[in-house]
Amino acid sequence: MAHLRISILVLSLVFLSFAFSEAKEVIVGGKHISWNIDSSKTLNEWIQKKHFRVGDQLKWKSYKDSDSVLQVTKEDYESCETSKPIKANVTEITLDQAGRFYFISGVKVHCDKGLKLVVIVKPPKHVSPSPAPATATGPAAPPSTNAAAGPGFSLSNGIFGFGIGLVGMALI
């Protein structure tokens, strides 16, 4: 019986680790750097050291009423165009696709002075490259029921594991 409890505990901890490893929540600039004109250089140094994946969430610390965060296109990022943002008054955003996300200050003068960020987002770790086309001449295999998730663990698997972990810990 003791071995069963230990096994359940170990499995619970493994599943819990997957439940919380999918996405991360990041405060832009960390604990000590906020979104303001005085920190623009430090924010750009901070972002160079960060790696983001699809599903991660960015949160901006509260900033003065005299400024805001806009998500914009690459062109608007380069020219500090504030009149047609993709999203205005951003305080948090989930990075929902791989690629580049562009953020600028809602105050053009601040953007012109460098208060802007480019966030580069990598695909999720569990996405694998597409398999090579099959060369067999037989009938095609039926489609996978979860082909989009790819191999490995997904957030739903992690949540399932979290539930299993709670049950396992209750049994101990």
Side-chain angles (χ1 to χ4, degrees):
M1 188 68 166
H3 290 291
L4 178 60
R5 286 185 176 182
I6 291 172
S7 296
I8 290 173
L9 177 62
V10 168
L11 284 173
S12 300
L13 293 174
V14 168
F15 282 117
L16 281 172
S17 70
F18 285 116
F20 295 108
S21 66
E22 281 295 316
K24 62 184 174 193
E25 185 178 287
V26 179
I27 297 173
V28 174
K31 293 179 183 179
H32 305 291
I33 307 168
S34 61
W35 183 261
N36 63 59
I37 189 59
D38 297 329
S39 65
S40 60
K41 182 179 179 193
T42 311
L43 279 168
N44 281 289
E45 291 169 357
W46 172 85
I47 198 77
Q48 296 298 319
K49 299 173 187 169
K50 294 295 178 185
H51 302 283
F52 301 99
R53 295 219 176 259
V54 171
D56 289 350
Q57 186 177 45
L58 298 181
K59 291 189 172 194
W60 277 260
K61 287 193 276 184
S62 50
Y63 37 82
K64 296 178 183 176
D65 292 336
S66 62
D67 208 339
S68 62
V69 179
L70 307 177
Q71 181 184 359
V72 296
T73 63
K74 179 181 180 182
E75 294 77 21
D76 289 348
Y77 171 87
E78 291 171 353
S79 65
C80 288
E81 176 59 54
T82 61
S83 66
K84 49 185 190 300
I86 295 169
K87 290 184 182 174
N89 300 317
V90 177
T91 57
E92 62 183 60
I93 189 167
T94 300
L95 304 169
D96 59 358
Q97 63 185 16
R100 295 176 187 261
F101 287 74
Y102 299 91
F103 301 97
I104 65 173
S105 169
V107 178
K108 183 165 177 26
V109 174
H110 293 177
C111 181
D112 289 336
K113 290 182 178 180
L115 188 52
K116 54 186 181 175
L117 289 175
V118 177
V119 177
I120 300 170
V121 181
K122 297 178 181 180
K125 286 183 180 180
H126 66 273
V127 173
S128 63
S130 299
T135 57
T137 57
S144 170
T145 58
N146 196 11
F153 291 90
S154 66
L155 183 58
S156 61
N157 287 347
I159 292 170
F160 174 75
F162 181 73
I164 294 294
L166 289 176
V167 169
M169 293 196 309
L171 291 173
I172 295 178

